[in-house]
Amino acid sequence: LLERHDAALGNALGQELPPELDPDLTYHGTARLVVPTARSVVLRGETLALKIIVLDRRPVKSVTVHHRALGGSPWQTLAADHQARGVWRAQLPVADEDCEYFIEAESAESKTLRWPPTAPELNQTVVVSP
Protein backbone atom coordinates (compact mmCIF):
# COMPACT_ATOMS: atom_id res chain seq x y z
CA LEU A 1 0.00 0.00 0.00
CA LEU A 2 2.76 2.46 0.90
CA GLU A 3 4.87 1.66 -2.15
CA ARG A 4 2.13 1.45 -4.79
CA HIS A 5 3.15 4.65 -6.60
CA ASP A 6 6.93 4.51 -6.04
CA ALA A 7 7.67 3.27 -9.56
CA ALA A 8 5.54 6.01 -11.14
CA LEU A 9 7.23 8.66 -8.98
CA GLY A 10 10.65 7.26 -9.87
CA ASN A 11 9.79 7.39 -13.58
CA ALA A 12 8.54 10.97 -13.27
CA LEU A 13 11.73 12.01 -11.45
CA GLY A 14 13.98 10.08 -13.82
CA GLN A 15 15.65 8.21 -10.93
CA GLU A 16 14.81 5.87 -8.06
CA LEU A 17 13.39 7.35 -4.90
CA PRO A 18 16.04 7.99 -2.20
CA PRO A 19 16.09 5.61 0.80
CA GLU A 20 15.26 8.44 3.24
CA LEU A 21 11.75 8.47 1.76
CA ASP A 22 11.10 4.91 2.95
CA PRO A 23 8.69 4.80 5.91
CA ASP A 24 10.38 4.56 9.30
CA LEU A 25 9.30 1.41 11.15
CA THR A 26 10.59 2.61 14.54
CA TYR A 27 8.23 4.22 17.06
CA HIS A 28 9.64 7.60 18.13
CA GLY A 29 6.94 8.85 20.51
CA THR A 30 6.72 8.59 24.28
CA ALA A 31 5.90 5.19 25.77
CA ARG A 32 2.19 4.59 26.38
CA LEU A 33 -0.56 2.01 26.70
CA VAL A 34 -3.55 1.97 24.37
CA VAL A 35 -6.80 0.05 24.88
CA PRO A 36 -8.65 0.40 21.55
CA THR A 37 -12.05 -0.56 22.98
CA ALA A 38 -12.76 0.31 26.59
CA ARG A 39 -16.08 -1.30 27.40
CA SER A 40 -18.01 -0.15 30.44
CA VAL A 41 -20.89 -2.67 30.31
CA VAL A 42 -20.85 -6.47 30.03
CA LEU A 43 -23.60 -9.07 30.22
CA ARG A 44 -23.82 -11.28 33.30
CA GLY A 45 -21.73 -14.38 32.65
CA GLU A 46 -19.63 -12.72 29.93
CA THR A 47 -15.85 -12.69 30.02
CA LEU A 48 -14.38 -9.34 29.01
CA ALA A 49 -11.51 -9.75 26.56
CA LEU A 50 -8.97 -6.93 26.56
CA LYS A 51 -6.71 -6.01 23.68
CA ILE A 52 -3.77 -3.96 24.93
CA ILE A 53 -1.30 -2.15 22.70
CA VAL A 54 2.02 -0.98 24.12
CA LEU A 55 3.79 1.72 22.14
CA ASP A 56 7.47 2.00 23.02
CA ARG A 57 10.87 1.95 21.35
CA ARG A 58 11.75 -1.43 22.85
CA PRO A 59 9.57 -4.39 23.90
CA VAL A 60 8.13 -4.15 27.40
CA LYS A 61 9.01 -6.67 30.11
CA SER A 62 5.46 -7.43 31.22
CA VAL A 63 1.82 -6.37 31.07
CA THR A 64 -0.56 -7.05 33.96
CA VAL A 65 -4.24 -6.35 34.59
CA HIS A 66 -5.34 -5.52 38.13
CA HIS A 67 -9.05 -6.07 38.79
CA ARG A 68 -11.47 -6.22 41.70
CA ALA A 69 -15.14 -6.03 42.53
CA LEU A 70 -16.41 -2.53 43.18
CA GLY A 71 -16.40 -1.58 46.82
CA GLY A 72 -12.75 -1.79 47.77
CA SER A 73 -12.08 -5.53 47.73
CA PRO A 74 -8.42 -6.58 47.35
CA TRP A 75 -6.84 -6.34 43.89
CA GLN A 76 -6.30 -9.50 41.89
CA THR A 77 -3.64 -9.61 39.18
CA LEU A 78 -3.72 -11.28 35.77
CA ALA A 79 -0.73 -11.54 33.45
CA ALA A 80 -1.50 -10.50 29.87
CA ASP A 81 -0.39 -12.77 27.02
CA HIS A 82 1.95 -11.37 24.40
CA GLN A 83 0.46 -11.80 20.91
CA ALA A 84 2.75 -9.98 18.48
CA ARG A 85 5.07 -6.98 18.61
CA GLY A 86 3.33 -4.50 20.94
CA VAL A 87 0.00 -6.35 21.17
CA TRP A 88 -1.08 -8.12 24.37
CA ARG A 89 -4.34 -9.81 25.39
CA ALA A 90 -5.97 -10.53 28.72
CA GLN A 91 -9.35 -11.79 29.80
CA LEU A 92 -11.18 -10.75 32.95
CA PRO A 93 -13.02 -13.49 34.86
CA VAL A 94 -16.67 -14.26 34.18
CA ALA A 95 -18.74 -11.21 35.11
CA ASP A 96 -21.11 -11.71 37.99
CA GLU A 97 -20.77 -8.31 39.70
CA ASP A 98 -19.66 -4.78 38.85
CA CYS A 99 -15.90 -4.38 38.85
CA GLU A 100 -13.02 -2.06 38.08
CA TYR A 101 -9.63 -2.64 36.51
CA PHE A 102 -6.45 -0.97 35.38
CA ILE A 103 -3.50 -2.12 33.29
CA GLU A 104 0.20 -1.79 34.05
CA ALA A 105 3.20 -2.43 31.83
CA GLU A 106 6.85 -2.46 32.82
CA SER A 107 8.99 -0.92 30.09
CA ALA A 108 12.45 -2.14 29.11
CA GLU A 109 13.82 0.78 31.17
CA SER A 110 11.74 -0.38 34.22
CA LYS A 111 9.30 2.52 33.86
CA THR A 112 5.70 1.79 34.87
CA LEU A 113 3.02 2.62 32.29
CA ARG A 114 -0.64 2.65 33.35
CA TRP A 115 -4.01 2.68 31.66
CA PRO A 116 -6.16 4.56 32.32
CA PRO A 117 -3.65 7.30 33.13
CA THR A 118 -5.55 8.10 36.35
CA ALA A 119 -5.01 4.59 37.77
CA PRO A 120 -4.90 3.32 40.45
CA GLU A 121 -6.94 6.17 41.99
CA LEU A 122 -9.53 6.25 39.16
CA ASN A 123 -9.89 3.04 37.16
CA GLN A 124 -11.97 1.65 34.31
CA THR A 125 -15.35 0.65 35.72
CA VAL A 126 -17.39 -2.20 34.26
CA VAL A 127 -21.08 -2.57 35.08
CA VAL A 128 -22.75 -5.98 34.75
CA SER A 129 -26.08 -5.96 32.95
CA PRO A 130 -28.60 -8.77 33.53
Side-chain angles (χ1 to χ4, degrees):
L1 181 66
L2 294 176
E3 300 168 346
R4 181 185 317 178
H5 303 288
D6 287 3
L9 288 170
N11 288 337
L13 293 172
Q15 62 184 7
E16 287 191 27
L17 295 177
E20 57 267 12
L21 292 181
D22 290 342
D24 189 355
L25 300 178
T26 305
Y27 178 72
H28 294 285
T30 57
R32 64 188 190 127
L33 287 175
V34 177
V35 177
T37 306
R39 291 182 53 196
S40 59
V41 178
V42 295
L43 297 174
R44 186 170 306 284
E46 182 180 358
T47 56
L48 179 59
L50 302 172
K51 179 179 182 180
I52 305 157
I53 300 171
V54 184
L55 296 174
D56 202 356
R57 290 180 181 97
R58 296 187 353 200
V60 295
K61 294 179 183 176
S62 64
V63 176
T64 54
V65 178
H66 304 274
H67 66 95
R68 67 180 178 184
L70 283 178
S73 61
W75 289 104
Q76 297 179 18
T77 302
L78 296 170
D81 296 321
H82 184 241
Q83 300 295 300
R85 293 177 54 181
V87 179
W88 296 72
R89 292 200 185 272
Q91 196 164 353
L92 293 180
V94 173
D96 57 357
E97 61 183 331
D98 300 344
C99 67
E100 62 181 323
Y101 73 91
F102 69 94
I103 302 166
E104 280 187 334
E106 183 182 359
S107 73
E109 293 82 23
S110 297
K111 179 181 175 187
T112 301
L113 307 171
R114 287 194 180 100
W115 184 93
T118 56
E121 290 80 21
L122 295 172
N123 308 296
Q124 177 67 21
T125 302
V126 179
V127 176
V128 176
S129 177

